[in-house]
Coordinates of all heavy atoms in Angstrom, one line a residue:
M1035 N 120.6 120.5 133.4 CA 119.5 120.7 132.5 C 118.9 119.4 132.1 O 119.7 118.5 131.7 CB 120.0 121.5 131.3 CG 118.9 121.9 130.4 SD 119.5 123.1 129.2 CE 118.3 122.9 128.0
T1036 N 117.6 119.2 132.3 CA 117.0 118.0 131.9 C 116.5 118.0 130.5 O 115.9 118.9 130.0 CB 115.7 117.8 132.8 OG1 116.1 117.9 134.2 CG2 115.1 116.4 132.6
T1037 N 116.9 116.9 129.8 CA 116.5 116.8 128.4 C 115.0 116.3 128.2 O 114.4 115.8 129.2 CB 117.4 115.8 127.6 OG1 117.1 114.5 128.1 CG2 118.9 116.2 127.8
D1038 N 114.5 116.5 127.0 CA 113.1 116.0 126.8 C 113.0 114.5 127.0 O 112.0 114.0 127.6 CB 112.7 116.3 125.3 CG 112.5 117.8 125.1 OD1 112.3 118.5 126.1 OD2 112.5 118.2 123.9
I1039 N 114.0 113.7 126.6 CA 114.0 112.3 126.8 C 114.0 111.9 128.3 O 113.3 111.0 128.7 CB 115.3 111.6 126.1 CG1 115.2 111.8 124.6 CG2 115.4 110.2 126.5 CD1 114.0 111.2 123.9
E1040 N 114.8 112.6 129.1 CA 114.8 112.4 130.5 C 113.5 112.7 131.2 O 113.0 112.0 132.0 CB 116.0 113.2 131.2 CG 117.3 112.7 130.8 CD 118.5 113.6 131.2 OE1 118.2 114.8 131.3 OE2 119.6 113.1 131.4
R1041 N 112.8 113.8 130.7 CA 111.5 114.1 131.2 C 110.5 113.1 130.8 O 109.6 112.7 131.6 CB 111.1 115.5 130.8 CG 111.8 116.6 131.5 CD 111.2 118.0 131.3 NE 111.2 118.4 129.9 CZ 112.2 119.1 129.3 NH1 113.3 119.3 129.9 NH2 112.1 119.4 128.0
L1042 N 110.6 112.6 129.6 CA 109.7 111.5 129.1 C 109.9 110.3 130.0 O 108.9 109.6 130.4 CB 109.9 111.3 127.7 CG 109.1 110.1 127.1 CD1 107.6 110.4 127.2 CD2 109.4 109.9 125.6
Q1043 N 111.1 109.9 130.2 CA 111.4 108.7 131.0 C 110.9 108.8 132.4 O 110.3 107.9 132.9 CB 112.9 108.4 131.0 CG 113.3 107.2 131.8 CD 114.8 107.0 131.9 OE1 115.6 107.6 131.2 NE2 115.2 106.0 132.7
A1044 N 111.1 110.0 133.0 CA 110.6 110.2 134.3 C 109.1 110.1 134.4 O 108.5 109.5 135.3 CB 111.1 111.6 134.9
A1045 N 108.4 110.7 133.4 CA 106.9 110.6 133.4 C 106.4 109.2 133.2 O 105.5 108.8 133.8 CB 106.4 111.5 132.2
C1046 N 107.1 108.4 132.3 CA 106.7 107.0 132.1 C 106.9 106.2 133.4 O 106.0 105.5 133.8 CB 107.5 106.4 131.0 SG 107.1 107.0 129.4
E1047 N 108.0 106.4 134.0 CA 108.3 105.7 135.3 C 107.3 106.1 136.4 O 106.8 105.3 137.1 CB 109.7 106.0 135.8 CG 110.7 105.3 134.9 CD 112.2 105.7 135.2 OE1 112.4 106.6 136.0 OE2 113.1 105.1 134.6
R1048 N 106.9 107.4 136.4 CA 106.0 107.9 137.4 C 104.6 107.4 137.1 O 103.9 106.9 138.0 CB 106.0 109.4 137.4 CG 105.0 110.0 138.4 CD 104.8 111.5 138.2 NE 104.1 111.7 136.9 CZ 104.6 112.5 135.9 NH1 105.7 113.2 136.0 NH2 103.9 112.6 134.8
D1049 N 104.1 107.4 135.9 CA 102.8 107.1 135.5 C 102.5 105.6 135.3 O 101.4 105.2 135.6 CB 102.4 107.9 134.3 CG 102.3 109.4 134.5 OD1 102.4 109.8 135.6 OD2 102.3 110.1 133.5
L1050 N 103.5 104.9 134.8 CA 103.3 103.5 134.5 C 103.8 102.6 135.5 O 103.4 101.4 135.6 CB 103.9 103.2 133.1 CG 103.4 104.0 132.0 CD1 104.2 103.7 130.7 CD2 101.9 103.8 131.8
G1051 N 104.7 103.0 136.4 CA 105.3 102.2 137.4 C 106.2 101.1 136.9 O 106.7 101.1 135.7
D1052 N 106.5 100.2 137.7 CA 107.5 99.1 137.4 C 106.9 98.2 136.3 O 105.8 97.6 136.5 CB 107.7 98.3 138.7 CG 108.8 97.2 138.5 OD1 109.2 97.0 137.3 OD2 109.2 96.6 139.5
P1053 N 107.6 98.0 135.2 CA 107.1 97.1 134.1 C 106.8 95.7 134.6 O 105.9 95.0 134.1 CB 108.3 97.1 133.1 CG 109.0 98.4 133.3 CD 108.9 98.6 134.8
A1054 N 107.5 95.2 135.7 CA 107.2 93.9 136.2 C 105.8 93.8 136.7 O 105.2 92.7 136.8 CB 108.2 93.6 137.3
D1055 N 105.2 94.9 137.1 CA 103.8 94.9 137.6 C 102.8 95.1 136.5 O 101.6 95.1 136.9 CB 103.7 96.1 138.7 CG 104.6 95.8 139.9 OD1 104.9 94.6 140.2 OD2 105.0 96.8 140.5
W1056 N 103.1 95.3 135.3 CA 102.2 95.5 134.2 C 101.4 94.2 134.0 O 102.0 93.1 134.1 CB 102.9 95.9 132.9 CG 103.5 97.3 133.0 CD1 103.5 98.2 134.1 CD2 104.3 97.9 132.0 NE1 104.3 99.3 133.8 CE2 104.8 99.1 132.5 CE3 104.8 97.5 130.8 CZ2 105.6 100.0 131.8 CZ3 105.6 98.3 130.0 CH2 106.0 99.6 130.5
P1057 N 100.2 94.3 133.6 CA 99.4 93.0 133.2 C 100.0 92.4 132.0 O 100.5 93.1 131.1 CB 98.0 93.5 133.1 CG 98.1 95.0 132.7 CD 99.3 95.5 133.4
E1058 N 99.8 91.1 131.9 CA 100.2 90.4 130.7 C 99.3 90.8 129.5 O 98.1 90.8 129.7 CB 100.1 88.9 130.9 CG 100.7 88.0 129.8 CD 102.2 88.1 129.6 OE1 102.9 88.4 130.6 OE2 102.6 87.9 128.5
P1059 N 99.8 91.2 128.4 CA 99.0 91.6 127.3 C 98.1 90.4 126.8 O 98.5 89.3 126.8 CB 100.0 92.0 126.2 CG 101.3 91.4 126.5 CD 101.3 91.2 128.0
T1060 N 97.0 90.8 126.3 CA 96.1 89.8 125.7 C 95.9 90.1 124.2 O 96.4 91.2 123.7 CB 94.7 89.8 126.3 OG1 94.1 91.1 126.2 CG2 94.7 89.4 127.8
G1061 N 95.4 89.2 123.5 CA 95.2 89.5 122.0 C 96.4 89.0 121.2 O 96.5 87.8 121.0
Y1062 N 97.3 89.9 120.9 CA 98.4 89.5 120.0 C 99.7 90.0 120.6 O 100.3 90.9 120.1 CB 98.2 90.2 118.6 CG 96.8 90.2 118.1 CD1 96.0 91.3 118.1 CD2 96.2 89.0 117.7 CE1 94.7 91.3 117.7 CE2 94.9 89.0 117.2 CZ 94.2 90.1 117.2 OH 92.9 90.1 116.8
P1063 N 100.1 89.4 121.7 CA 101.2 90.0 122.5 C 102.6 90.0 121.8 O 103.5 90.7 122.1 CB 101.3 89.2 123.8 CG 100.6 87.9 123.4 CD 99.6 88.2 122.4
N1064 N 102.7 89.1 120.7 CA 104.0 89.0 120.0 C 103.9 89.5 118.6 O 104.8 89.2 117.8 CB 104.5 87.6 120.1 CG 104.7 87.2 121.5 OD1 105.4 87.9 122.3 ND2 104.2 86.0 121.9
S1065 N 102.8 90.1 118.2 CA 102.7 90.5 116.8 C 102.1 91.9 116.6 O 100.9 92.2 116.8 CB 101.7 89.5 116.1 OG 101.5 89.9 114.7
L1066 N 103.1 92.8 116.3 CA 102.6 94.2 116.1 C 101.8 94.2 114.8 O 100.8 95.0 114.8 CB 103.9 95.1 115.9 CG 103.6 96.6 115.6 CD1 102.7 97.2 116.7 CD2 104.9 97.3 115.5
A1067 N 102.0 93.4 113.8 CA 101.2 93.4 112.6 C 99.8 93.1 112.9 O 98.9 93.8 112.5 CB 101.8 92.3 111.6
L1068 N 99.5 92.1 113.8 CA 98.1 91.8 114.1 C 97.5 92.9 114.9 O 96.3 93.2 114.8 CB 98.0 90.4 114.8 CG 98.4 89.2 114.0 CD1 98.3 87.9 114.8 CD2 97.6 89.1 112.7
C1069 N 98.3 93.5 115.8 CA 97.7 94.6 116.6 C 97.3 95.8 115.7 O 96.3 96.4 115.9 CB 98.8 95.1 117.6 SG 99.1 94.0 118.9
I1070 N 98.2 96.1 114.7 CA 97.9 97.1 113.7 C 96.6 96.8 112.9 O 95.7 97.6 112.8 CB 99.0 97.4 112.8 CG1 100.2 97.9 113.5 CG2 98.6 98.3 111.6 CD1 101.5 97.9 112.7
I1071 N 96.5 95.6 112.4 CA 95.3 95.2 111.7 C 94.1 95.3 112.6 O 93.0 95.9 112.1 CB 95.4 93.7 111.2 CG1 96.5 93.6 110.1 CG2 94.1 93.2 110.6 CD1 97.0 92.2 109.8
D1072 N 94.1 94.8 113.8 CA 93.0 94.9 114.7 C 92.6 96.4 114.9 O 91.4 96.7 114.9 CB 93.3 94.2 116.0 CG 92.1 94.0 116.9 OD1 91.7 95.0 117.5 OD2 91.7 92.9 117.0
A1073 N 93.6 97.2 115.2 CA 93.3 98.6 115.5 C 92.7 99.3 114.4 O 91.8 100.2 114.6 CB 94.6 99.3 115.9
I1074 N 93.1 99.0 113.2 CA 92.6 99.7 112.0 C 91.1 99.3 111.7 O 90.2 100.1 111.5 CB 93.5 99.5 110.7 CG1 94.8 100.2 110.9 CG2 92.7 99.9 109.5 CD1 95.8 99.9 109.9
Y1075 N 90.9 98.0 111.7 CA 89.6 97.4 111.3 C 88.6 97.5 112.4 O 87.4 97.6 112.1 CB 89.8 96.0 110.8 CG 90.3 96.0 109.4 CD1 91.7 96.0 109.1 CD2 89.5 96.1 108.3 CE1 92.2 96.0 107.9 CE2 89.9 96.1 107.0 CZ 91.3 96.1 106.8 OH 91.8 96.1 105.5
V1076 N 88.9 97.6 113.7 CA 87.9 97.7 114.7 C 87.2 99.0 114.7 O 86.1 99.1 115.3 CB 88.6 97.4 116.1 CG1 89.3 98.6 116.6 CG2 87.6 96.9 117.1
T1077 N 87.7 100.0 114.1 CA 87.1 101.4 114.1 C 85.8 101.4 113.4 O 85.0 102.3 113.6 CB 88.0 102.4 113.6 OG1 88.4 102.1 112.2 CG2 89.3 102.5 114.4
G1078 N 85.5 100.5 112.5 CA 84.2 100.6 111.8 C 83.6 99.2 111.5 O 82.8 99.1 110.7
A1079 N 84.0 98.2 112.3 CA 83.5 96.9 112.1 C 83.2 96.2 113.4 O 83.6 96.6 114.4 CB 84.5 96.1 111.3
R1080 N 82.4 95.1 113.2 CA 82.1 94.3 114.4 C 83.4 93.4 114.7 O 84.2 93.2 113.8 CB 80.9 93.4 114.1 CG 79.6 94.1 113.9 CD 78.6 93.2 113.6 NE 79.1 92.3 112.5 CZ 78.4 91.5 111.8 NH1 77.1 91.5 111.9 NH2 78.9 90.8 110.8
H1081 N 83.5 92.9 115.9 CA 84.6 92.0 116.2 C 84.7 90.8 115.3 O 85.8 90.4 114.9 CB 84.5 91.6 117.7 CG 85.7 90.8 118.1 ND1 87.0 91.3 118.3 CD2 85.8 89.4 118.3 CE1 87.8 90.3 118.6 NE2 87.1 89.2 118.6
A1082 N 83.6 90.2 114.9 CA 83.6 89.0 114.1 C 84.3 89.4 112.7 O 85.0 88.6 112.2 CB 82.2 88.5 113.9
T1083 N 84.0 90.6 112.2 CA 84.6 91.0 110.9 C 86.1 91.2 111.1 O 86.9 90.7 110.3 CB 84.0 92.3 110.5 OG1 82.6 92.1 110.3 CG2 84.6 92.7 109.1
V1084 N 86.5 91.8 112.2 CA 88.0 92.0 112.5 C 88.7 90.6 112.6 O 89.7 90.4 112.0 CB 88.2 92.8 113.8 CG1 89.6 92.9 114.1 CG2 87.6 94.2 113.6
A1085 N 88.0 89.7 113.3 CA 88.6 88.3 113.4 C 88.8 87.7 112.1 O 89.8 87.0 111.9 CB 87.7 87.5 114.3
K1086 N 87.9 87.9 111.2 CA 88.0 87.3 109.8 C 89.2 87.9 109.1 O 90.0 87.2 108.4 CB 86.8 87.5 109.0 CG 85.6 86.6 109.5 CD 84.4 86.8 108.7 CE 83.2 86.0 109.2 NZ 82.0 86.3 108.5
V1087 N 89.4 89.2 109.2 CA 90.5 89.8 108.5 C 91.8 89.3 109.1 O 92.8 89.0 108.4 CB 90.4 91.4 108.7 CG1 91.7 92.1 108.1 CG2 89.2 91.9 107.9
V1088 N 91.9 89.2 110.4 CA 93.1 88.7 111.1 C 93.4 87.3 110.7 O 94.5 86.9 110.4 CB 92.9 88.8 112.7 CG1 94.0 88.0 113.4 CG2 93.0 90.3 113.1
D1089 N 92.3 86.5 110.6 CA 92.5 85.1 110.2 C 93.0 85.0 108.8 O 93.8 84.1 108.4 CB 91.2 84.3 110.3 CG 90.9 84.0 111.8 OD1 91.8 84.1 112.7 OD2 89.7 83.6 112.0
R1090 N 92.5 85.9 107.9 CA 93.0 85.8 106.5 C 94.4 86.2 106.4 O 95.2 85.7 105.6 CB 92.1 86.8 105.6 CG 90.7 86.2 105.4 CD 89.9 87.0 104.4 NE 90.5 86.9 103.1 CZ 90.1 87.6 102.1 NH1 89.1 88.5 102.2 NH2 90.6 87.5 100.9
Y1091 N 94.9 87.2 107.2 CA 96.3 87.6 107.2 C 97.1 86.4 107.7 O 98.2 86.1 107.2 CB 96.5 88.8 108.1 CG 98.0 89.2 108.2 CD1 98.6 89.9 107.1 CD2 98.7 88.9 109.3 CE1 99.9 90.2 107.1 CE2 100.1 89.3 109.3 CZ 100.7 89.9 108.2 OH 102.0 90.3 108.3
R1092 N 96.6 85.7 108.8 CA 97.4 84.6 109.3 C 97.5 83.5 108.2 O 98.6 82.9 108.0 CB 96.6 84.0 110.5 CG 96.8 84.7 111.8 CD 96.0 84.1 112.9 NE 96.3 84.7 114.2 CZ 95.4 85.0 115.1 NH1 94.1 84.7 114.9 NH2 95.8 85.5 116.2
E1093 N 96.5 83.2 107.5 CA 96.5 82.2 106.4 C 97.5 82.6 105.3 O 98.2 81.8 104.8 CB 95.1 82.0 105.8 CG 94.2 81.3 106.8 CD 92.7 81.2 106.3 OE1 92.5 81.4 105.0 OE2 91.8 81.0 107.1
F1094 N 97.4 83.9 104.9 CA 98.3 84.4 103.9 C 99.8 84.3 104.3 O 100.6 83.8 103.5 CB 98.0 85.9 103.6 CG 98.9 86.5 102.6 CD1 98.8 86.3 101.3 CD2 99.9 87.4 103.0 CE1 99.6 86.9 100.4 CE2 100.7 88.0 102.1 CZ 100.6 87.7 100.8
R1095 N 100.1 84.6 105.5 CA 101.5 84.6 106.0 C 101.9 83.1 106.1 O 103.1 82.8 105.8 CB 101.6 85.3 107.3 CG 101.5 86.8 107.2 CD 102.7 87.4 106.4 NE 103.9 87.2 107.2 CZ 105.0 86.8 106.7 NH1 105.2 86.5 105.5 NH2 106.1 86.7 107.6
T1096 N 101.0 82.2 106.6 CA 101.4 80.8 106.6 C 101.7 80.3 105.2 O 102.7 79.5 105.0 CB 100.3 80.0 107.3 OG1 100.1 80.5 108.6 CG2 100.6 78.5 107.3
G1097 N 100.9 80.7 104.3 CA 101.1 80.3 102.9 C 102.5 80.8 102.3 O 103.0 80.2 101.4
Q1098 N 103.0 81.8 102.9 CA 104.3 82.4 102.5 C 105.4 81.8 103.3 O 106.6 82.1 103.1 CB 104.3 83.9 102.7 CG 103.4 84.7 101.8 CD 103.7 86.2 102.0 OE1 103.7 86.6 103.2 NE2 103.9 86.9 101.0
G1099 N 105.1 80.9 104.2 CA 106.1 80.3 105.1 C 106.4 81.3 106.3 O 107.4 81.1 107.0
G1100 N 105.6 82.3 106.5 CA 105.8 83.2 107.6 C 105.0 82.9 108.8 O 104.3 81.8 108.8
D1101 N 105.1 83.7 109.8 CA 104.3 83.5 111.0 C 103.7 84.8 111.5 O 104.4 85.7 112.1 CB 105.2 82.9 112.1 CG 104.5 82.6 113.4 OD1 103.3 82.7 113.5 OD2 105.2 82.3 114.4
A1102 N 102.4 85.0 111.2 CA 101.7 86.2 111.6 C 101.8 86.5 113.1 O 101.7 87.6 113.5 CB 100.3 86.1 111.2
E1103 N 102.0 85.4 113.9 CA 102.0 85.6 115.4 C 103.2 86.4 115.8 O 103.3 86.8 117.0 CB 101.9 84.3 116.1 CG 100.6 83.5 115.7 CD 99.3 84.2 115.9 OE1 99.2 84.9 117.0 OE2 98.5 84.1 115.1
T1104 N 104.2 86.5 115.0 CA 105.5 87.2 115.3 C 105.8 88.3 114.4 O 106.9 88.9 114.4 CB 106.7 86.3 115.5 OG1 106.9 85.6 114.2 CG2 106.4 85.2 116.6
D1105 N 104.9 88.6 113.4 CA 105.1 89.6 112.4 C 105.2 91.0 113.0 O 104.4 91.3 114.0 CB 104.1 89.6 111.3 CG 104.3 88.6 110.3 OD1 105.3 87.8 110.4 OD2 103.5 88.4 109.4
G1106 N 106.0 91.9 112.5 CA 106.0 93.3 112.8 C 105.4 94.1 111.7 O 104.9 93.6 110.7
A1107 N 105.6 95.4 111.8 CA 105.2 96.3 110.7 C 105.8 96.0 109.4 O 105.1 96.1 108.3 CB 105.4 97.8 111.2
P1108 N 107.1 95.7 109.3 CA 107.7 95.4 108.0 C 107.1 94.3 107.2 O 106.8 94.4 106.0 CB 109.2 95.1 108.3 CG 109.5 95.8 109.6 CD 108.2 95.7 110.4
E1109 N 106.7 93.2 108.0 CA 106.0 92.1 107.3 C 104.6 92.5 106.8 O 104.2 92.1 105.7 CB 106.0 90.9 108.2 CG 107.3 90.3 108.6 CD 108.1 91.0 109.7 OE1 107.5 91.9 110.3 OE2 109.2 90.6 109.9
L1110 N 104.0 93.3 107.6 CA 102.6 93.7 107.2 C 102.7 94.6 106.0 O 101.9 94.4 105.0 CB 101.9 94.5 108.4 CG 100.6 95.1 108.1 CD1 99.6 94.0 107.7 CD2 100.1 95.8 109.3
L1111 N 103.6 95.5 106.0 CA 103.8 96.4 104.8 C 104.2 95.6 103.6 O 103.7 95.9 102.5 CB 104.8 97.5 105.1 CG 104.4 98.6 106.1 CD1 105.6 99.5 106.5 CD2 103.2 99.4 105.6
T1112 N 105.0 94.6 103.7 CA 105.4 93.8 102.6 C 104.2 93.0 102.1 O 104.0 92.9 100.8 CB 106.5 92.8 103.0 OG1 107.7 93.5 103.4 CG2 106.9 91.8 101.9
S1113 N 103.3 92.6 102.9 CA 102.1 91.9 102.5 C 101.2 92.8 101.7 O 100.6 92.4 100.7 CB 101.4 91.2 103.6 OG 100.6 92.1 104.4
V1114 N 101.1 94.0 102.1 CA 100.3 95.0 101.4 C 100.9 95.2 100.0 O 100.2 95.2 99.0 CB 100.2 96.3 102.2 CG1 99.5 97.4 101.3 CG2 99.4 96.1 103.5
R1115 N 102.2 95.4 99.9 CA 102.9 95.6 98.7 C 102.7 94.4 97.8 O 102.4 94.5 96.6 CB 104.3 95.9 98.9 CG 105.1 96.3 97.6 CD 106.6 96.3 97.7 NE 107.0 94.9 97.9 CZ 107.8 94.5 98.8 NH1 108.4 95.3 99.6 NH2 108.2 93.2 98.9
D1116 N 102.9 93.2 98.3 CA 102.9 92.0 97.5 C 101.5 91.7 96.9 O 101.4 91.1 95.9 CB 103.2 90.7 98.4 CG 104.7 90.7 98.7 OD1 105.5 91.5 98.2 OD2 105.1 89.9 99.6
L1117 N 100.5 92.2 97.6 CA 99.1 92.0 97.1 C 98.6 93.2 96.2 O 97.5 93.2 95.8 CB 98.1 91.8 98.3 CG 98.4 90.5 99.0 CD1 97.6 90.5 100.4 CD2 98.0 89.3 98.2
G1118 N 99.5 94.1 96.0 CA 99.1 95.2 95.0 C 98.7 96.5 95.6 O 98.1 97.3 94.9
G1119 N 98.8 96.6 96.9 CA 98.4 97.9 97.5 C 97.3 97.7 98.5 O 96.7 96.6 98.7
P1120 N 96.9 98.8 99.2 CA 95.9 98.7 100.3 C 94.5 98.3 99.8 O 93.8 97.6 100.5 CB 95.9 100.1 100.9 CG 96.6 101.0 99.9 CD 97.5 100.1 99.1
D1121 N 94.1 98.7 98.6 CA 92.8 98.4 98.1 C 92.7 96.9 97.9 O 91.7 96.2 98.3 CB 92.4 99.1 96.9 CG 92.2 100.6 97.1 OD1 91.9 101.0 98.3 OD2 92.4 101.4 96.2
Q1122 N 93.7 96.3 97.3 CA 93.7 94.9 97.0 C 93.9 94.1 98.3 O 93.4 93.0 98.5 CB 94.8 94.5 96.0 CG 94.5 95.0 94.6 CD 94.9 96.5 94.5 OE1 95.3 97.2 95.4 NE2 94.8 97.0 93.3
W1123 N 94.7 94.6 99.2 CA 95.0 93.9 100.5 C 93.7 93.7 101.2 O 93.4 92.7 101.6 CB 95.9 94.8 101.3 CG 96.5 94.0 102.5 CD1 97.6 93.3 102.6 CD2 95.9 93.9 103.8 NE1 97.8 92.8 103.9 CE2 96.7 93.1 104.6 CE3 94.7 94.3 104.4 CZ2 96.4 92.8 105.9 CZ3 94.4 94.0 105.7 CH2 95.2 93.2 106.5

């Protein structure tokens, strides 16, 4: 009997092929936080506006001694909390 996970794995291998053949990611390949910010803000803004939001996050994290280029979701969520919530963020 095949489990759901095994079917998912088989579908990924069939549809996506060998990971070694995947293209190198562009944009923010090492930062899930920046990917999330970009994905959220791009839905209703021009690219220049998104770039400004990303740059502000980078500056904020540098000021904290962090590195936005390697941040994940936990660091992004912490920044939202530290700034008083999503509206203030």
Side-chain angles (χ1 to χ4, degrees):
M1035 185 165 160
T1036 305
T1037 67
D1038 289 344
I1039 296 297
E1040 290 168 331
R1041 285 193 298 275
L1042 175 60
Q1043 180 179 355
C1046 289
E1047 290 171 351
R1048 178 193 68 234
D1049 295 346
L1050 300 176
D1052 184 354
D1055 296 331
W1056 296 355
E1058 187 67 27
T1060 59
Y1062 322 105
N1064 299 311
S1065 176
L1066 180 57
L1068 295 179
C1069 290
I1070 292 169
I1071 293 167
D1072 190 286
I1074 290 171
Y1075 282 89
V1076 78
T1077 60
R1080 297 175 314 195
H1081 180 72
T1083 302
V1084 176
K1086 288 179 184 178
V1087 175
V1088 167
D1089 287 345
R1090 288 186 69 189
Y1091 179 77
R1092 283 178 169 138
E1093 290 172 19
F1094 176 77
R1095 290 293 291 134
T1096 298
Q1098 291 184 312
D1101 182 8
E1103 302 305 318
T1104 59
D1105 279 359
E1109 293 84 5
L1110 178 58
L1111 289 172
T1112 297
S1113 77
V1114 172
R1115 187 194 68 230
D1116 289 351
L1117 291 169
D1121 290 337
Q1122 292 81 355
W1123 189 94

